[in-house]
Amino acid sequence: MRLEINCQNRLGITQDVLDILTEYDIDLRGIEIDETGKIFLDFLTIDFEHVQHSLPKILSIKGVLHYTS
């Protein structure tokens, strides 16, 4: 699964996203950060329950605008 997070350019925003993933024990296969304000997260597999709980928290991060999968 690949998740694209559109956000403002703010110092620490990627760390905020990673903290939430760590909170839910979500393992990343890769991460890419685009200078246009996008964070791309690549997961091997992800449990739907973890997605259900983590995405609202990611959306509540200051500067996160929206996501697409």
Side-chain angles (χ1 to χ4, degrees):
M1 176 180 174
R2 184 171 166 98
L3 183 67
E4 177 183 322
I5 301 171
N6 291 287
C7 53
Q8 298 171 344
N9 186 7
R10 176 179 66 78
L11 182 64
I13 197 164
T14 303
Q15 185 62 53
D16 293 343
V17 171
L18 293 175
D19 288 344
I20 291 171
L21 298 179
T22 301
E23 179 182 339
Y24 288 95
D25 294 323
I26 298 173
D27 193 21
L28 285 177
R29 181 169 66 179
I31 183 170
E32 181 182 340
I33 301 164
D34 188 313
E35 57 192 45
T36 63
K38 295 180 182 180
I39 301 170
F40 299 94
L41 305 174
D42 192 14
F43 308 98
L44 284 173
T45 59
I46 187 167
D47 184 21
F48 179 74
E49 182 179 330
H50 289 168
V51 172
Q52 186 178 15
H53 294 293
S54 64
L55 285 180
K57 284 192 171 188
I58 290 172
L59 284 173
S60 72
I61 294 172
K62 179 183 175 187
V64 170
L65 306 173
H66 59 87
Y67 69 89
T68 57
S69 57

